[in-house]
């Protein structure tokens, strides 16, 4: 995909997140926890998109390809964690969120340690002469695991709430949440596992889910 096409894709994604954020702020009925989490998620997603765009368009080389994928993976974990918190707030679930937070944090820290643990040999092309990349084949499963914990938690919370919901209006709201989470799930899987241009399709699915 050429630079012009990449710029168009990322510009569209950023405009989508920015527009949703502005609409959310403008049409805000109340400033509850769910609304705050949605606004933070949209803001983080917009900034994450800008960072991915900068890495994709302004850089080239093996090291920067690694950086793009790592930023994508860490971003997805943080967004998934916010999504799980939003699902809890949306269905007014009073669960032990700290268990999920601890699991995700431990997996993130494990991945970070593996990423900065020096290789026994330098990676050519690194812009920092003393910097060594960690074993990505070991760190990636930890990041996917952290994402899976957060995403699975959000889906479980929503599915359980749907089974327990009473009243057509309340059930429809939770169904909408589930459809949104499934769209985001499909998008995230494409970003994590698909190559280009499948990654861009995944980013679009994540935007549609919001």
């Amino acid at each position: 995909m050429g630079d012009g096409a990449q710029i168009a894709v990322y510009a569209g994604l950023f405009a989508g997140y920015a527009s949703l954020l502005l609409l959310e702020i403008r049409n805000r009925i109340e400033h509850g926890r769910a609304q705050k989490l949605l606004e933070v998620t949209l803001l983080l997603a917009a900034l994450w998109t800008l960072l991915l765009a900068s890495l994709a368009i302004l850089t080239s080389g093996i090291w920067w390809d690694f950086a793009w994928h790592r930023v994508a993976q860490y971003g997805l974990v943080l967004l998934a964690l916010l999504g799980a918190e939003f699902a809890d707030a949306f269905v007014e679930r009073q669960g032990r969120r700290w268990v999920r937070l601890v699991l995700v944090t431990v997996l993130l820290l494990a991945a970070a340690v593996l990423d900065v643990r020096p290789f026994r040999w330098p990676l050519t092309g690194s812009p920092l002469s003393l910097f060594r990349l960690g074993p990505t084949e070991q760190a990636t499963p930890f990041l996917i695991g952290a994402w899976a914990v957060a995403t699975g938690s959000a889906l479980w919370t929503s599915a359980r709430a749907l089974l327990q919901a009473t009243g057509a209006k309340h059930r429809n709201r939770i169904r909408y949440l589930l459809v949104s989470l499934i769209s985001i799930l499909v998008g995230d899987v494409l970003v994590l596992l698909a190559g280009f241009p499948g990654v861009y399709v995944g980013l679009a699915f994540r935007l549609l889910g919001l």
Side-chain angles (χ1 to χ4, degrees):
M1 183 177 289
D3 288 346
Q6 283 187 319
I7 291 172
V9 169
Y10 284 113
L13 291 168
F14 177 78
Y17 285 122
S19 298
L20 288 174
L21 179 57
L22 291 175
L23 286 173
E24 168 64 21
I25 294 173
R26 182 176 180 180
N27 300 323
R28 181 191 299 152
I29 298 176
E30 59 182 52
H31 202 61
R33 184 166 179 269
Q35 284 70 33
K36 292 178 181 177
L37 286 167
L38 180 57
E39 291 169 10
V40 171
T41 299
L42 290 170
L43 177 60
L44 178 61
L47 295 175
W48 175 64
T49 300
L50 278 180
L51 183 53
L52 289 178
S54 299
L55 290 171
I57 297 168
L58 302 178
T59 65
S60 62
I62 296 175
W63 192 92
W64 292 111
D65 288 342
F66 165 85
W68 189 97
H69 284 93
R70 270 298 179 263
V71 169
Q73 291 166 348
Y74 279 104
L76 287 179
V77 173
L78 295 177
L79 290 170
L81 187 58
L82 285 170
E85 291 291 324
F86 174 80
D88 286 345
F90 189 83
V91 303
E92 299 179 350
R93 175 178 178 265
Q94 301 296 327
R96 296 183 176 180
R97 298 191 302 271
W98 64 268
V99 176
R100 177 179 62 225
L101 181 60
V102 168
L103 284 173
V104 172
T105 301
V106 168
L107 290 168
L108 280 176
L109 289 175
V113 168
L114 288 172
D115 271 340
V116 300
R117 184 166 63 89
F119 270 139
R120 292 182 180 178
W121 60 85
L123 182 70
T124 59
S126 172
L128 303 176
S129 60
L130 298 180
F131 189 82
R132 301 293 183 270
L133 295 179
T136 59
E137 73 283 355
Q138 296 178 27
T140 295
F142 285 94
L143 291 171
I144 294 178
W147 167 84
V149 168
T151 302
S153 175
L155 290 168
W156 170 256
T157 295
S158 303
R160 186 177 180 183
L162 181 61
L163 293 175
Q164 297 173 348
T166 57
K169 184 177 181 180
H170 188 44
R171 290 177 67 86
N172 286 337
R173 291 176 69 246
I174 298 176
R175 286 193 186 100
Y176 175 80
L177 174 62
L178 266 174
V179 170
S180 174
L181 290 173
I182 291 172
S183 176
I184 291 172
L185 170 65
V186 172
D188 287 359
V189 169
L190 287 173
V191 173
L192 289 170
L193 302 179
F196 297 100
V199 165
Y200 297 116
V201 177
L203 292 172
F205 264 95
R206 164 163 273 281
L207 174 59
L208 290 174
L210 293 173

